[in-house]
């Protein structure tokens, strides 16, 4: 295929998976630095979705698939939340028959199709020398696939769950924690006014960082996380204890969306799965709320305690980035450019033990990053431990000691 952007070296950048505050600052950081270094920057729209929809014809309208990024474009978006490039949960290696682009239907007609060959051709058509995907472990796992296919890839970690392995920090996490604390404090007034339990469900499919950090900061009395299956009667007893000790007669619990009852499994909204095989979680907060109300008389002298039940959901995902999600994405973007200028690829930029660095991109698919329950979670009290803070990193239990990378 002809290189339609001959002359300058070209960088491609995309955002995949869930939106978070901090994506636009990262896009801005990459673009501004790259333009200064003489690169052309192409923004791929809708994550990997835009990458498979491209029609390799100079007369085709691909405006919905990619855009040439300029200083003016990224400066306008750089202080805002979300991603102006838009996003999707597309996995090019597993595209269902109904989601194959129309112009490729004759070529790909299986129930599930691997469109990687088309992605490689599209990268060549656009003349992209290095691709910078910004995403969580799902989005970046396909970046690993492209790296294995010989594409130059430098990845940036993003997810409010903060569960990309190899890095202490992922874009979106700080704003998520900030929003959760703010919303929890706002919800204290109805909980206290009515002397109720306050149940708040937060994001966190496999990792409980988004429930642990706000609880550690005092936003809730207890939290339950995916890494430890909890006993409902034990949780109820603790929350009744907290409520009785509180002059305002309320108590609060944060529930990770992936949390599981003792002897149970994850709770899903329905059986539909995305391209990475994940079903949409939702409902554990509702179930906990119902069970608390049902069991409460056992620990409250026969009297029922009602609940205030709130799924925080997109309220913690929306809005502008906080200070850390403005600064860290800027650093990550420039770290990516540092590597590219040095001719290095196949790396994931990271924050490790308080220092910015980079490690092999294969870390993304090598293991899971989870809360170390034994070290950080008090299973008797269903909340974080409060001890040995000396020499701990900023986000305490979110650190991964990286050696020999």
């Amino acid at each position: 295929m002809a290189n339609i952007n001959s002359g300058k070296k070209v960088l491609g950048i995309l955002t995949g998976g869930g939106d978070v505050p901090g994506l636009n600052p990262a896009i801005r950081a990459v673009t501004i630095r790259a333009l200064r270094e003489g690169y052309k920057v192409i923004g791929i729209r809708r994550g990997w979705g835009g990458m498979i929809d491209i029609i390799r014809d100079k007369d085709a309208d691909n405006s919905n698939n990619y855009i040439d990024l300029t200083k003016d474009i990224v400066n306008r978006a750089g202080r805002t939340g979300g991603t102006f490039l838009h996003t999707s949960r597309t996995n090019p290696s597993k595209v269902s028959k109904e989601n194959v682009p129309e112009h490729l239907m004759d070529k790909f007609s299986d129930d599930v199709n691997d469109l990687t060959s088309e992605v490689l051709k599209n990268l060549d058509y656009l003349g992209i020398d290095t691709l910078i995907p910004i995403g969580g472990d799902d989005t970046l796992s396909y970046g690993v696939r492209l790296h294995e296919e010989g594409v130059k890839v430098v990845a940036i970690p993003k997810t409010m769950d903060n569960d990309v392995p190899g890095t202490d920090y992922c874009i979106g996490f700080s704003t998520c924690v900030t929003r959760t604390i703010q919303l929890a404090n706002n919800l204290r007034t109805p909980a206290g006014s009515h002397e109720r339990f306050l149940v708040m469900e937060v994001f966190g499919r496999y990792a409980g960082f988004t429930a642990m950090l706000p609880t550690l900061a005092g936003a809730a009395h207890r939290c339950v996380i995916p890494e430890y299956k909890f006993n409902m009667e034990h949780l109820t007893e603790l929350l009744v204890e907290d409520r009785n000790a509180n002059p305002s007669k309320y108590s609060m619990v944060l529930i990770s969306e992936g949390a599981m009852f003792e002897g149970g499994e994850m709770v899903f909204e329905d059986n539909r799965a995305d391209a990475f095989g994940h079903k949409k979680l939702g409902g554990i907060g509702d179930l906990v709320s119902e069970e608390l109300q049902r069991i409460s008389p056992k620990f409250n002298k026969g009297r029922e305690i009602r609940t205030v039940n709130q799924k925080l959901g997109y309220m913690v995902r929306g809005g502008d980035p906080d200070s850390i999600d403005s600064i860290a994405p800027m650093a990550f973007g420039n770290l990516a450019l540092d590597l590219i200028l040095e001719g290095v690829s196949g790396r994931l930029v990271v924050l490790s033990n308080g220092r910015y660095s980079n490690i092999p991109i294969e870390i993304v698919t090598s293991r899971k990053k989870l809360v170390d329950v034994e070290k950080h979670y008090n299973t008797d009290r269903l909340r974080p431990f409060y001890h040995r803070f000396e020499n701990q990193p900023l986000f305490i239990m979110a650190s991964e000691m990286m050696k020999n990378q």
Side-chain angles (χ1 to χ4, degrees):
M1 286 295 158
N3 184 334
I4 64 171
N5 289 294
S6 59
K8 292 183 177 180
K9 283 192 173 182
V10 182
L11 301 183
I13 185 169
L14 61 83
T15 55
D19 68 295
V20 300
L23 287 170
N24 288 335
I27 298 166
R28 179 188 182 277
V30 168
T31 302
I32 295 296
R33 175 81 179 280
L35 293 175
R36 288 174 182 167
E37 299 290 348
Y39 285 84
K40 181 182 180 68
V41 185
I42 295 177
I44 308 299
R45 294 187 183 275
R46 298 175 291 105
W48 298 120
M51 204 67 251
I52 66 172
D53 284 351
I54 291 170
I55 299 174
R56 297 186 296 274
D57 184 333
K58 64 181 180 64
D59 296 322
D61 180 8
N62 279 302
S63 59
N64 196 41
N65 299 321
Y66 63 84
I67 181 176
D68 289 345
L69 297 182
T70 67
K71 180 179 177 181
D72 287 343
I73 290 173
V74 298
N75 274 337
R76 283 197 299 271
R79 293 177 291 275
T80 63
T83 167
F84 76 93
L85 289 178
H86 304 292
T87 184
S88 71
R89 297 189 184 275
T90 303
N91 180 353
S93 66
K94 295 181 180 180
V95 180
S96 61
K97 185 176 181 178
E98 59 269 24
N99 289 324
V100 171
E102 185 177 356
H103 67 283
L104 297 176
M105 287 181 176
D106 290 342
K107 187 175 180 181
F108 298 95
S109 57
D110 293 339
D111 290 339
V112 179
N113 302 270
D114 186 351
L115 270 59
T116 299
S117 60
E118 295 299 313
V119 171
L120 295 173
K121 292 174 184 176
N122 291 338
L123 288 169
D124 185 52
Y125 177 73
L126 296 176
I128 291 175
D129 297 282
T130 303
L131 185 64
I132 304 175
I134 309 175
D137 54 356
D138 286 336
T139 297
L140 299 188
S141 67
Y142 189 72
V144 174
R145 167 71 185 277
L146 290 182
H147 165 66
E148 293 170 346
E149 295 282 350
V151 177
K152 294 179 182 178
V153 178
V154 176
I156 296 177
K158 172 280 309 178
T159 170
M160 60 177 49
D161 289 0
N162 205 45
D163 62 351
V164 173
T167 182
D168 295 354
Y169 190 75
C170 302
I171 294 171
F173 181 57
S174 178
T175 306
C176 174
V177 172
T178 300
R179 296 272 197 280
T180 300
I181 293 171
Q182 291 171 339
L183 290 166
N185 288 338
N186 289 344
L187 289 167
R188 288 176 186 274
T189 52
S193 297
H194 298 276
E195 301 183 0
R196 295 184 180 183
F197 295 132
L198 173 57
V199 178
M200 297 167 288
E201 182 182 319
V202 296
F203 287 118
R205 176 178 292 271
Y206 300 115
F209 299 113
T210 54
M212 286 280 282
L213 263 294
T215 304
L216 189 73
H221 296 94
R222 312 288 164 178
C223 63
V224 291
I225 60 176
E227 294 89 341
Y228 180 78
K229 291 189 177 184
F230 68 100
N231 180 279
M232 192 62 226
E233 288 208 355
H234 183 45
L235 174 62
T236 306
E237 183 178 14
L238 290 172
L239 288 173
V240 171
E241 174 187 306
D242 295 330
R243 179 178 177 271
N244 290 337
N246 186 346
S248 293
K249 293 297 180 187
Y250 70 90
S251 55
M252 309 166 65
V253 59
L254 279 169
I255 314 286
S256 296
E257 63 178 349
M260 293 168 278
F261 294 115
E262 192 174 74
E265 299 298 330
M266 287 184 179
V267 178
F268 303 104
E269 281 192 0
D270 53 47
N271 288 320
R272 290 176 296 177
D274 65 19
F276 293 93
H278 299 314
K279 297 177 183 178
K280 187 173 179 59
L281 290 167
I284 184 66
D286 295 335
L287 294 177
V288 167
S289 182
E290 292 170 5
E291 287 297 288
L292 280 173
Q293 192 164 318
R294 183 183 67 82
I295 299 170
S296 59
K298 181 176 180 179
F299 302 101
N300 193 47
K301 300 178 180 179
R303 294 191 297 273
E304 181 183 81
I305 302 172
R306 301 187 69 185
T307 61
V308 175
N309 176 21
Q310 182 66 57
K311 183 175 181 178
L312 301 189
Y314 288 95
M315 290 185 288
V316 303
R317 192 186 286 283
D320 295 340
D322 70 4
S323 59
I324 292 178
D325 276 324
S326 298
I327 295 168
M330 175 279 302
F332 280 165
N334 279 279
L335 277 167
L337 262 295
D338 289 341
L339 292 168
I340 291 167
L341 291 170
E342 293 168 5
V344 176
S345 64
R347 308 294 288 185
L348 172 73
V349 300
V350 300
L351 184 61
S352 180
N353 304 313
R355 296 289 184 270
Y356 290 106
S357 185
N358 66 90
I359 58 178
I361 193 174
E362 291 89 350
I363 191 76
V364 173
T365 54
S366 68
R367 65 174 186 263
K368 295 291 184 182
K369 177 185 173 185
L370 305 171
V371 172
D372 184 334
V373 171
E374 183 177 349
K375 183 177 181 181
H376 294 296
Y377 188 63
N378 188 332
T379 57
D380 290 329
R381 306 301 290 166
L382 299 183
R383 64 187 179 195
F385 280 120
Y386 290 82
H387 58 211
R388 298 188 62 83
F389 279 73
E390 185 177 4
N391 293 323
Q392 292 294 321
L394 175 62
F395 290 107
I396 319 298
M397 72 282 297
S399 176
E400 285 197 341
M401 300 298 292
M402 301 304 300
K403 297 179 181 178
N404 300 321
Q405 295 291 346

